[in-house]
Amino acid sequence: MRERKWAATSAAEFTDEGAMRRPEGFRQWVFVGTTVTPNEMNKGKAEFPEFHHVYMDRAGFAHYKRTGTFRDGTVMIKELAGVASKQASSGAGYFPGGLQGLFASVKSRRQHPEAPGNWGFYGFGLAPPYEKTAEVEPVKNCVACHQAAAAQDLVFTQHYPVLKAIRAAAGGGESR
Amino acid sequence: MRERKWAATSAAEFTDEGAMRRPEGFRQWVFVGTTVTPNEMNKGKAEFPEFHHVYMDRAGFAHYKRTGTFRDGTVMIKELAGVASKQASSGAGYFPGGLQGLFASVKSRRQHPEAPGNWGFYGFGLAPPYEKTAEVEPVKNCVACHQAAAAQDLVFTQHYPVLKAIRAAAGGGESR
């Protein structure tokens, strides 16, 4: 019964063989932060080039806002965009070009019972509209960095101002 | 009658004196792109420091997705975040810290009948949770740059990959 409820409320869908289906409408999910690793600052080739737009599914976000934790079923999205220019009327910096990569992580006891934090990591390729399904990545490909460096439950919350603001609000600080 | 409909569907609210009320829940609106103008790349002080998170109200976004244009009543949000670090496990780059500024623009024939494109610009200050209301900025403060450099209807769509993807999809290119 719990499994059925999970399936009804998680934004993640899987094939019978365990591949993740590409989430629909994730660009209308909740944005939590952008980091940028320009190629030119990484010897010409960033590992994940270059802007990282990070989203969270709406129900997972609502749960995080209420509890400060990632519920079973949470989906995080990282979509990449290239750097198109370094100068605009607002000053010097980095300005994005086209979208160029889609990655997801899903916290699921059912799908990843043995994985750290029950997180599974998926890559849908670099060319929009991206692949329709993705196989779960071998643990060694993603988990090591997320375990070693992510601030909370394998999620890089330290880089997501929107989630930081929620924690600050819970502590009586900044809020919205 | 049209005015009443507008008031019922726009995400923008105004006091009787014409000040804009701080939008609620804008962090759950539709994210369209981030630019970053680090202080260190701008002689120590960017005009808008440093990350710019840009959002669009949900009804305005839905209209843009359908038509490729900004409807009367559209609200754009720019929220700023500082640069907290330049190195992470994903590589060298710019990584955000706390939220530090809220700006809005509203396209409204009713509120800004004489303004270019009927856009009015508002600043809610630099310290979350920000000011409760904001007076419209004098035209000279914001409009000149937006008129001179923004790609579409005073909006810097050239920097917003999510809106670019919509236009590309309408032209038969990339989509989601």
Side-chain angles (χ1 to χ4, degrees):
Chain A
M1 188 62 188
R2 190 183 68 191
E3 297 297 338
R4 281 173 59 199
K5 188 179 172 208
W6 186 91
T9 61
S10 176
E13 293 182 6
F14 296 89
T15 67
D16 290 344
E17 292 73 36
M20 184 180 177
R21 297 186 197 280
R22 187 183 64 212
E24 294 298 319
F26 64 84
R27 290 187 196 139
Q28 284 94 71
W29 291 4
V30 183
F31 166 75
V32 296
T34 296
T35 63
V36 57
T37 52
N39 284 332
E40 67 169 17
M41 291 175 73
N42 293 276
K43 300 178 180 172
K45 186 71 180 79
E47 187 170 357
F48 300 103
E50 297 178 277
F51 281 91
H52 306 195
H53 299 161
V54 181
Y55 301 89
M56 202 168 163
D57 75 284
R58 303 188 77 79
F61 178 81
H63 182 89
Y64 190 91
K65 195 168 182 181
R66 199 167 59 246
T67 66
T69 63
F70 296 100
R71 71 171 197 147
D72 194 59
T74 296
V75 185
M76 306 291 302
I77 292 282
K78 173 174 71 179
E79 188 169 32
L80 305 181
V83 169
S85 64
K86 294 186 62 184
Q87 185 70 47
S89 58
S90 54
Y94 290 97
F95 301 87
L99 298 165
Q100 58 182 25
L102 177 63
F103 301 83
S105 59
V106 183
K107 184 178 175 75
S108 168
R109 283 189 295 268
R110 186 179 58 183
Q111 296 295 132
H112 323 112
E114 306 299 329
N118 299 130
W119 287 101
F121 296 83
Y122 300 84
F124 291 89
L126 304 179
Y130 308 118
E131 303 295 331
K132 288 185 177 166
T133 61
E135 304 292 333
V136 68
E137 294 284 334
V139 167
K140 66 178 171 51
N141 285 10
C142 309
V143 170
C145 267
H146 280 259
Q147 266 194 313
Q152 183 188 4
D153 193 8
L154 283 79
V155 180
F156 286 94
T157 53
Q158 69 265 44
H159 301 315
Y160 306 146
V162 171
L163 299 187
K164 277 204 257 195
I166 286 172
R167 294 197 304 280
E174 67 180 285
S175 69
R176 277 215 38 80
Chain B
M1 189 58 190
R2 188 182 66 190
E3 297 297 338
R4 281 173 58 197
K5 187 178 170 207
W6 185 90
T9 61
S10 176
E13 293 182 7
F14 297 89
T15 67
D16 290 345
E17 292 73 34
M20 184 179 176
R21 297 187 198 279
R22 187 183 64 212
E24 293 298 318
F26 64 84
R27 289 186 197 141
Q28 284 94 71
W29 291 4
V30 183
F31 166 75
V32 297
T34 297
T35 63
V36 57
T37 52
N39 284 332
E40 66 167 17
M41 292 175 72
N42 292 276
K43 300 177 182 172
K45 186 72 180 81
E47 186 170 357
F48 300 103
E50 298 179 275
F51 281 90
H52 306 195
H53 299 161
V54 181
Y55 300 89
M56 200 167 165
D57 75 283
R58 303 187 78 78
F61 178 80
H63 181 90
Y64 190 91
K65 195 167 181 181
R66 200 167 58 244
T67 66
T69 63
F70 297 99
R71 72 172 196 144
D72 195 58
T74 296
V75 184
M76 306 291 301
I77 292 283
K78 173 173 69 179
E79 187 169 33
L80 305 181
V83 169
S85 64
K86 294 186 61 183
Q87 185 70 48
S89 58
S90 55
Y94 289 97
F95 301 88
L99 299 165
Q100 57 181 25
L102 178 63
F103 301 83
S105 59
V106 183
K107 183 178 177 75
S108 169
R109 283 189 295 267
R110 185 179 57 185
Q111 296 295 132
H112 323 112
E114 306 299 330
N118 299 129
W119 287 101
F121 296 83
Y122 300 83
F124 291 89
L126 304 180
Y130 307 118
E131 304 295 331
K132 288 185 176 167
T133 60
E135 304 291 333
V136 68
E137 293 284 333
V139 166
K140 65 178 171 52
N141 285 10
C142 308
V143 171
C145 267
H146 280 259
Q147 267 195 311
Q152 183 187 3
D153 193 9
L154 284 78
V155 181
F156 287 93
T157 53
Q158 68 266 44
H159 301 317
Y160 306 146
V162 171
L163 299 187
K164 278 204 258 196
I166 287 172
R167 295 198 304 280
E174 67 179 284
S175 69
R176 276 215 43 79

